[in-house]
Amino acid sequence: MKFSDIEFDTYFKNYPTQDGFFGKYGGAYVSPELKNAMKEITEAYSTICKSSKFISELRRIRKEFQGRPTPISHLERLSGSIGNGVQLYVKREDLNHTGAHKLNHCMGEVLLAKYMGKKKVIAETGAGQHGVALATAAAYFGLECDIYMGAVDIKKQAPNVARMKILGARVVEVTEGLQTLKEAVDAAFKAYCNEYKDAIYCIGSVLGPHPFPMMVRDFQSVIGIEAREQFLEMTGELPDAVVACVGGGSNAMGMFAGFLNDPVAIYGVEPLGRGETLGEHAASIRYGEEGIMHGFNSIMLKDENGEPAPVYSVASGLDYPSSGPEHAFLHDIGRVKYDVATDEETVDAFYSLSRLEGIIPAIESSHAVAFAIKLAKQMDKGSILINLSGRGDKDMDYIIERYGIR
């Protein structure tokens, strides 16, 4: 299938299919017991997402609790430093309550859990932003909350660990394997298998078995819908390019959703880490192949035995050996281009945005900023809209310790 074969004006009605597939990617590869749990969630979501009461409540929460809509900022000084007239803009998800885009889907998922009569929410987290957002949503709605987090990430993201605990969540340290995001997902899935009757697993990205890639995309699409309207109001035209970082890919799918049917170039930016050697990066779409993990089929990085390969990124929220199935599909049909940024480029962008614009970005978001700067240098005119998926408070100690003050 090619990009030209897709009618994007009806895209969201057709993808995913009823079985949760985006082309050959997606699905629900889970145990028979969990299949019933996924069916229960799908049916509940299909009902509630059409409910005016649910939609009104979510809109009220976004306005009165989250502080939406988040603004777009023109990066005038950073644009000027490039020197060729190309203008950079950022969608400020760092100003969403809790400091990142994650609350967009967490409030929706926990509202769904409450509707289903669940008593607890379970999740994994890498950079800690999803954990903080889910702990916030659980506190708001009065549900118990267990967050599974790799031991390595707990050390890197101490401020977010403290925030989760203050919000009342139980943070479960995962010490298996590389002790990062993949292992946290493994542990959270295992816990959910034992508690699915009373709990719901609130997946932190457009990953996992159906219906989660669809649900998280739908809740996150508020980013792109807002951004498109705001950019048109600010400039009178659409951006020439839209850029977002991609690990699992929730912030990116949220942003891309607003522009898929427009004559706009769209770029997803993966972490190249320390280089192209397997184990030194987490660029699954660029270097991976089709494979199944954590209940869904997508493009993933594999070791010599065909198992999920070890991955690395300076950004804890991006070090995952696969990407969401919809990203794999959009890559295959050619609608979205996927490129990379190294650790060094990312840290340079982190400091450039901080020094020139007074915005300290999350190190995940800094990948998108780094690529946008490279892209702007290749253009002779136009504009680029970047999704600034989160703020960098959580990363400051780690960046200073590892890279120093630049």
Side-chain angles (χ1 to χ4, degrees), residues 349-370:
F350 172 89
Y351 277 110
S352 293
L353 189 60
S354 299
R355 296 282 169 80
L356 293 174
E357 298 291 348
I359 301 170
I360 302 175
I363 202 67
E364 290 79 14
S365 315
S366 300
H367 284 75
V369 177

Side-chain angles (χ1 to χ4, degrees), residues 82 84 86 88 267 337 339-340 345 370-382 384:
I82 296 169
N84 62 358
V86 176
L88 303 179
Y267 296 89
K337 299 174 184 176
D339 216 303
V340 294
E345 291 169 333
F371 176 78
I373 292 170
K374 288 193 292 184
L375 180 62
K377 290 176 180 177
Q378 297 165 14
M379 298 165 61
D380 54 14
K381 62 179 180 178
I384 301 172

Side-chain angles (χ1 to χ4, degrees), residues 330-347:
L330 291 171
H331 167 265
D332 277 11
I333 66 172
R335 178 61 189 98
V336 178
K337 299 174 184 176
Y338 292 83
D339 216 303
V340 294
T342 66
D343 281 0
E344 278 297 325
E345 291 169 333
T346 296
V347 174

Side-chain angles (χ1 to χ4, degrees), residues 41 45 48 54 57-58 61 102-123 130-147 200-203 212 215-216 219:
I41 294 169
Y45 176 68
I48 202 172
F54 175 84
E57 176 67 358
L58 198 55
I61 288 168
K102 295 291 186 180
L103 197 62
N104 297 333
H105 67 257
C106 285
M107 293 305 288
E109 286 179 327
V110 181
L111 185 57
L112 175 64
K114 193 145 182 108
Y115 170 83
M116 294 173 69
K118 304 296 184 182
K119 299 184 172 92
K120 179 192 280 190
V121 289
I122 296 170
H130 176 58
V132 168
L134 192 67
T136 299
Y140 183 92
F141 288 109
L143 272 65
E144 296 176 50
C145 181
D146 287 351
I147 304 293
I200 186 171
Y201 181 17
C202 296
I203 290 175
F212 286 100
M215 277 175 41
V216 174
F219 289 135

Side-chain angles (χ1 to χ4, degrees), residues 21-333:
F21 282 94
F22 303 87
K24 62 184 177 180
Y25 303 112
Y29 298 86
V30 294
S31 67
E33 279 192 327
L34 278 187
K35 267 196 184 295
N36 291 331
M38 292 302 116
K39 184 179 178 185
E40 178 192 17
I41 294 169
T42 302
E43 289 175 352
Y45 176 68
S46 297
T47 300
I48 202 172
C49 75
K50 304 296 184 187
S51 161
S52 62
K53 183 178 179 182
F54 175 84
I55 294 166
S56 296
E57 176 67 358
L58 198 55
R59 284 176 177 166
R60 184 192 67 77
I61 288 168
R62 284 173 173 169
K63 180 180 179 181
E64 298 176 9
F65 183 68
Q66 291 184 231
R68 302 205 68 90
T70 58
I72 285 177
S73 296
H74 178 203
L75 305 182
E76 190 171 354
R77 292 190 67 220
L78 184 58
S79 301
S81 72
I82 296 169
N84 62 358
V86 176
Q87 300 301 303
L88 303 179
Y89 295 80
V90 283
K91 174 64 170 165
R92 299 291 304 278
E93 289 303 289
D94 59 311
L95 298 179
N96 194 34
H97 180 45
T98 73
H101 68 290
K102 295 291 186 180
L103 197 62
N104 297 333
H105 67 257
C106 285
M107 293 305 288
E109 286 179 327
V110 181
L111 185 57
L112 175 64
K114 193 145 182 108
Y115 170 83
M116 294 173 69
K118 304 296 184 182
K119 299 184 172 92
K120 179 192 280 190
V121 289
I122 296 170
E124 83 299 329
T125 196
Q129 286 298 150
H130 176 58
V132 168
L134 192 67
T136 299
Y140 183 92
F141 288 109
L143 272 65
E144 296 176 50
C145 181
D146 287 351
I147 304 293
Y148 290 79
M149 190 170 189
V152 169
D153 292 336
I154 283 177
K155 289 177 185 175
K156 285 171 70 175
Q157 304 293 345
N160 274 346
V161 175
R163 291 168 79 196
M164 286 182 263
K165 290 179 178 179
I166 287 170
L167 288 160
R170 184 171 75 105
V171 180
V172 182
E173 184 174 16
V174 179
T175 57
E176 287 79 18
L178 294 178
Q179 305 177 10
T180 57
L181 183 56
K182 176 193 170 292
E183 289 75 26
V185 176
D186 291 340
F189 254 112
K190 186 175 180 182
Y192 179 56
C193 287
N194 296 324
E195 301 185 65
Y196 66 87
K197 290 183 180 176
D198 296 314
I200 186 171
Y201 181 17
C202 296
I203 290 175
S205 193
V206 285
L207 301 169
H210 180 65
F212 286 100
M214 173 184 69
M215 277 175 41
V216 174
R217 176 199 70 188
D218 291 352
F219 289 135
Q220 288 293 345
S221 66
V222 65
I223 300 172
I225 292 167
E226 285 180 4
R228 187 181 187 281
E229 181 180 336
Q230 290 167 323
F231 199 89
L232 278 169
E233 185 178 343
M234 286 179 74
T235 69
E237 59 186 12
L238 292 171
D240 292 281
V242 169
V243 178
C245 66
V246 176
S250 58
N251 91 91
M253 273 317 310
M255 177 61 106
F256 299 169
F259 297 92
L260 286 176
N261 199 31
D262 291 317
V264 172
I266 302 178
Y267 296 89
V269 186
E270 296 189 296
L272 189 57
R274 293 183 289 242
E276 297 182 0
T277 304
L278 191 65
E280 297 293 305
H281 63 81
S284 56
I285 292 180
R286 171 168 281 202
Y287 297 106
E289 56 188 284
E290 186 177 353
I292 296 170
M293 67 179 289
H294 294 149
F296 69 102
N297 183 45
S298 188
I299 299 176
M300 61 182 276
L301 293 165
K302 296 181 181 180
D303 63 18
E304 62 275 8
N305 300 314
E307 296 297 316
V311 292
Y312 160 80
S313 170
V314 69
S316 297
L318 302 181
D319 58 358
Y320 186 72
S322 186
S323 290
E326 191 164 10
H327 284 293
F329 177 64
L330 291 171
H331 167 265
D332 277 11
I333 66 172

